[in-house]
Amino acid sequence: MSTYPKTSALMARGTQFLGTEHAIMCGAMSWVSERNLVSAISNGGGFGVIACGAMTPELLDSEIAATRAMTDRPFGVNLITMHPDLSELIAICARHGVSHVVLAGGIPPKGSVAAIKAFGARVIVFAPTLALAKKLLRSGADALVIEGMEAGGHIGPVSTSVLAQEFLPALAEDHIVFVAGGIGRGEAIAGYLEMGACGVQLGTRFACATESIAHPNFKKAFFRAKARDAEASVQVDPRLPVIPVRALKNKGTEQFTAKQREVAGVLDAGEVDMGEAQLQIEHYWAGALRRAVVDGDIENGSLMAGQSVGMVTQEEPAADIIAQLMAESEAALARR
Ligand SMILES: Cc1cc2nc3c(=O)[nH]c(=O)nc-3n(C[C@H](O)[C@H](O)[C@H](O)COP(=O)(O)O)c2cc1C
């Protein structure tokens, strides 16, 4: 019998889908979600996801192999839909027999979902609106993550609590839906499970796990921060739609404003088209996040973090965080 019977019962469809003990996913975090954190999450009973981000196909190839050497439990790979080598990355996943692929960063390009399903993997997608969610599920996606604006990293405009009320009653009975954004404790997990979610995804809460290779400076910044320090970036130019990013405010968040002005300038001058302008913005984030996570430059780098950052106060093994979340959820459900 499960240590967490009520929570496990509500997570049953999620655990079956993921092949895990608990339906708790650690969302991919570029530079952070590599072999060490991903295997620790999966070995701890959750579901780790490798962040491919801007990795080359060769790097993804070696990261999957290295992760597999550290865990015999299931884990996923997160691919960004606008990656120029998406087809090659899918082929690498196929070669390794990856069981779950998460497609993030936009509407999956034509043929990508079919290409993943062709080698037997499950496809997990994000959808910002209910209409798009229905369309993606109709056209072959196996599961959905709804992610609210409390989350760290790139965000949409709507809060998790509102998305959950809008999406879960419409989809949860017939589909596998995970809820993400702003989850810091198990009581919140219990609430979303009761609303019909079959699991959850967290990022911020796991970013400073003992096994996370994030620089000690990055982790210290998280331990110091409160919810209100994790701010959404502001769009400067109405012609240059920027997907907002939630990060701890620092010099880097100010520099992003300057970067937008610079890109708007070259767009004005006709030196780049809109697609290229947006790609430049994305490259800015990839570089800035690396500076903070890998180099520990917490002034100029990007400290992507969600509003749950105030609940991250110390380094803890990933397995302990998962056990704590499950215990909190179970206690909440037992009180009902
Ligand atoms: C440092 C950081 C980096 C992230 N990078 C990515 C990424 O590369 N791809 C992605 O799909 N989501 C990314 N995310 C979002 C997470 O996968 C996850 O969905 C989110 O953190 C969940 O919300 P929470 O932070 O409130 O727990 C990132 C989040 C953080 C905090």
Side-chain angles (χ1 to χ4, degrees), residues 248-269:
L248 300 182
K249 58 180 175 228
N250 63 358
K251 251 192 230 155
T253 51
E254 282 166 34
Q255 283 160 9
F256 178 57
T257 310
K259 178 71 192 176
Q260 286 186 66
R261 286 209 186 90
E262 180 196 312
V263 173
V266 289
L267 192 65
D268 272 342

Side-chain angles (χ1 to χ4, degrees), residues 27-30 78 80 104 147 150-153 181-182 201-204 304 306 308:
M29 293 177 277
S30 289
N78 176 302
I80 307 286
E147 183 176 59
E150 298 93 321
Q201 168 165 304
L202 289 76
T204 300
M304 287 186 191
S308 63

